[in-house]
Amino acid sequence: MDPIKNLVASTDPLANEPAELNAEEALARMLTGPRVFSDNNPAAAVVSLEDRRRRKARIAGGLLLGAAAVTAGVLVAANFGPLTTAPAPAVSVTPTEANPSPSVSLTPTPTATPSATPEATPTTAPTQAPTPTMPAAATTAPVVPPVQVPTSQTFTFPDGHLSFTYPVGWSVKTEPGPYATEADKAASTIAKVLDSSGTEVAVIFNGNYGDGTGGLVDRTILDRAVVPGVRATSGELVEFGFSSYQSQYVPYEGPPYEGMPSPQTGPVDGPPTYIMDARLSSELKAGLSSSGTNQVRVPNGIMSAYVQFDATKNPAFATPAAAKSWMGTTQYAQLKSLLLSLSYK
C-alpha cells in the first residue's frame, strides 16, 4: 500500500485539525520531491483533496443539522404558545364593501420562554361562540271579545214612523192621544216613559192634533243641541233644549177700563218655569220672546216630546244653581240622550 495513503487513512481530520494548506502545492511536492520521511514533519499535516472534500461535506452537514435543530426548536417553542390563552382576535366586517375584508385587531400577549425540558405541553381548547337562542314563539289564547251588554232599547210608534231609545230598566206605556177626527184617532198615540222606579219622566206624542197658548217670557237657555233624526216639514231644524223662563206682563197701551187693574210691565211675581223638550230652533230664543210651543209639524201630523218634572215641586228646582247641578247627574244625561235619539222615517 502506498505509504502516503496509509498515513492519510490513519489520520482523523476531525480529531487532529490540520492547518489550512494548499492541497495542489502539497501534492506537487509529494510527487516531485525525494521519498524521504521524517517524524519531524508529521504527515498528518498533509490532507488529500478527497479528504478535504469529505471534511467540507461533513462540516456542511453539521451546519445543516444545527440549523434544522434551531428551526425545530423555534417551531416547538411556537407550538408551546403562551401559558395563558388569549381570546381569539375580533373580526369586524364593513357591510357596505362589495368584497368585505376583515379587519383583525390582535392584542399583544406575553411570550413565555420555553424551558429545555418542559414538564407539560399546554393544550388550548378552541373557543366556541355561544349559539344564539331563538325566543320561543309566544302562545296566546284567542281573544274573545267581551259580551256587549245592551244599555238602551228602542220604542217605535205603531205606524213605524217615529222612534226613540231609552235606558234598559226603564219602560214605556202607551195610551190613545187626542185627535180632531175619527180618521185621526188610530194614529194618535201618547208614549209615557217610566224610569226604573216606575216614575213618569218623559212624554212623547205623535198624531194629527195640536193646540196650545203662549205668552211673553224672559228665557234663559241652560243647554241646547240639534236633534239629528227629525226635521220639520218646513225644513227647519229641531233642537233639544233645557231652559228656564220668567213670565212677563203683556204691555197694554189702550184706554183703561173701569174695574180693570192698571197695566203693568216687567216680570210677573212667582217662581221661574223649567222646561226640557224638543222644539223648532225658532221657538228656542234667549231673552224676551214668546213662550212658544214644542209642537213640531212632521209628515204624519204633530210630534211633541218633553221631560215630565215632578208636579208637586214648583219650581222644579229650588234655585238656578240647583238646576245647573242636576245637569251633571246620570238622570239628566239619560233624558237628554232620549230626546236626542228621536228619529222620524
Side-chain angles (χ1 to χ4, degrees):
M1 181 179 293
D2 190 351
I4 297 174
K5 187 174 182 181
N6 290 337
L7 289 174
V8 172
S10 63
T11 302
D12 185 358
L14 295 177
N16 188 10
E17 185 83 15
E20 187 70 25
L21 297 177
N22 191 329
E24 299 292 339
E25 183 179 353
L27 182 60
R29 283 202 305 267
M30 288 188 293
L31 296 177
T32 58
R35 298 188 176 185
V36 178
F37 300 95
S38 174
D39 293 337
N40 294 329
N41 187 15
V46 181
V47 182
S48 67
L49 181 60
E50 184 66 23
D51 289 337
R52 185 177 179 85
R53 289 176 180 173
R54 290 178 181 176
R55 185 173 68 83
K56 289 183 177 181
R58 291 191 187 100
I59 293 172
L63 293 175
L64 182 60
L65 289 175
V70 172
T71 303
V74 171
L75 292 177
V76 171
N79 289 333
F80 283 166
L83 296 180
T84 58
T85 304
V91 179
S92 59
V93 179
T94 304
T96 56
E97 296 180 358
N99 297 318
S101 58
S103 174
V104 182
S105 300
L106 297 180
T107 302
T109 57
T111 304
T113 303
S115 59
T117 56
E119 296 180 0
T121 302
T123 302
T124 303
T127 302
Q128 183 177 2
T131 303
T133 303
M134 298 298 294
T139 303
T140 57
V143 178
V144 179
V147 178
Q148 298 293 331
V149 179
T151 58
S152 63
Q153 48 196 335
T154 302
F155 174 83
T156 303
F157 280 77
D159 62 1
H161 292 295
L162 185 63
S163 65
F164 60 88
T165 62
Y166 59 101
V168 171
W170 291 16
S171 60
V172 175
K173 67 177 183 179
T174 60
E175 59 184 48
Y179 56 92
T181 64
E182 287 294 326
D184 301 328
K185 181 178 179 179
S188 181
T189 304
I190 296 175
K192 296 184 177 182
V193 182
L194 286 70
D195 64 12
S196 57
S197 67
T199 302
E200 183 179 318
V201 292
V203 177
I204 295 91
F205 166 75
N206 185 217
N208 195 12
Y209 180 84
D211 60 5
T213 60
L216 184 65
V217 298
D218 185 6
R219 179 181 287 110
T220 300
I221 299 176
L222 302 174
D223 192 10
R224 69 190 303 169
V226 173
V227 178
V230 180
R231 184 70 67 92
T233 54
S234 63
E236 189 175 352
L237 292 176
V238 177
E239 289 191 59
F240 151 83
F242 177 43
S243 63
S244 67
Y245 67 75
Q246 185 70 45
S247 296
Q248 303 289 309
Y249 285 105
V250 177
Y252 176 70
E253 299 178 354
Y257 288 91
E258 184 178 355
M260 294 293 294
S262 300
Q264 299 184 32
T265 58
V268 176
D269 292 337
T273 301
Y274 289 89
I275 295 177
M276 187 174 183
D277 59 10
R279 60 176 58 200
L280 296 174
S281 296
S282 60
E283 299 286 345
L284 188 61
K285 294 180 179 180
L288 291 174
S289 65
S290 171
S291 59
T293 178
N294 56 22
Q295 296 178 8
V296 178
R297 173 67 67 176
V298 290
N300 71 340
I302 298 295
M303 179 200 80
S304 67
Y306 58 92
V307 170
Q308 181 69 59
F309 290 120
D310 188 353
T312 63
K313 294 180 180 180
N314 189 25
F317 303 97
T319 62
K324 292 181 180 179
S325 178
W326 179 67
M327 293 173 63
T329 64
T330 300
Q331 185 187 45
Y332 178 86
Q334 291 171 327
L335 292 171
K336 178 179 179 180
S337 178
L338 186 152
L339 294 176
L340 288 174
S341 71
L342 288 165
S343 176
Y344 187 91
K345 296 181 180 179

